[in-house]
Amino acid sequence: MVWADLRRSRLGHKFRRQQPIGPFIVDFVCFAKRLIVELDGFTHGLQQNHGYDRYRQRWLEADGFRVLRYSDDEVMQDRGAVLDSIATVLEQLGG
């Protein structure tokens, strides 16, 4: 479970879960790095949701956040790769 890894600060940064930001609730956020991690279930793949997802991401990015999106399938197939990807971005964000 990705939250267990993020909660335990295995990546060296504090994340919050199900955090309100503006009109949205994000899955996970590291405020210190302005990084949001979203885990997308099957409904995000539906055509009717694409416009909303794009709007939501643009809004969050305009507010200064970087948004990483992973499908539930990615997490289930290789959670380690997802965590490595998040760690790489955290490192790129510096500080």
Side-chain angles (χ1 to χ4, degrees):
M1 183 172 180
V2 172
W3 172 236
D5 294 310
L6 296 176
R7 182 183 68 209
R8 293 186 185 112
S9 297
R10 289 190 178 152
L11 301 181
H13 299 279
K14 181 181 179 180
F15 279 82
R16 293 185 187 184
R17 180 178 179 213
Q18 296 295 299
Q19 183 68 41
I21 298 177
F24 308 107
I25 297 176
V26 300
D27 291 336
F28 310 106
V29 61
C30 175
F31 281 108
K33 297 292 185 173
R34 310 276 304 161
L35 179 64
I36 292 170
V37 176
E38 292 285 278
L39 302 183
D40 294 340
F42 79 94
T43 60
H44 290 273
L46 300 175
Q47 184 66 33
Q48 66 227 34
N49 294 330
H50 290 183
Y52 176 77
D53 285 344
R54 282 192 302 272
Y55 166 75
R56 185 176 185 270
Q57 183 152 342
R58 282 194 307 267
W59 191 97
L60 293 165
E61 289 171 345
D63 199 37
F65 288 93
R66 177 149 179 202
V67 180
L68 300 179
R69 303 187 85 88
Y70 302 95
S71 71
D72 287 346
D73 287 340
E74 287 176 284
V75 174
M76 296 300 288
Q77 290 174 14
D78 196 349
R79 187 176 84 213
V82 169
L83 293 170
D84 287 346
S85 172
I86 297 168
T88 297
V89 172
L90 286 165
E91 187 176 309
Q92 290 170 353
L93 293 172

